[in-house]
Amino acid sequence: ADLFERTAEELARHGLSCECLGGGRLAHRPEERKIHVYGYSVGFGRADHAVTTEKLKAEYPDYEITWADEGY
């Protein structure tokens, strides 16, 4: 929530607005080149982890990137 609030405030200074579509967590294991997306935000609910995973794959093509809806 803190990150979203800071981002929303910065965007507002530029005349823009944003909306949080959900949250979750990342488990990053750089030595193994793996990222796992999971969980949810208590305040914002669960993000669409499939979308997050596709965006991460585009940015980190040499990583194994997985996701699951379970977990906190």
Side-chain angles (χ1 to χ4, degrees):
D2 293 339
L3 178 62
F4 175 73
E5 289 172 10
R6 286 193 310 261
T7 302
E9 288 171 7
E10 178 66 25
L11 289 171
R13 285 193 281 275
H14 298 283
L16 301 169
S17 64
C18 62
E19 174 185 4
C20 183
L21 301 176
R25 299 178 183 273
L26 298 175
H28 182 207
R29 296 193 307 250
E31 66 284 347
E32 299 174 36
R33 294 194 169 303
K34 292 183 178 182
I35 298 174
H36 183 66
V37 182
Y38 66 98
Y40 61 94
S41 164
V42 172
F44 297 111
R46 180 176 287 115
D48 186 342
H49 297 329
V51 171
T52 304
T53 299
E54 289 308 309
K55 295 197 177 294
L56 286 167
K57 285 180 179 180
E59 192 67 28
Y60 301 96
D62 57 336
Y63 268 64
E64 176 186 336
I65 302 175
T66 58
W67 67 274
D69 276 335
E70 47 288 329
Y72 174 76

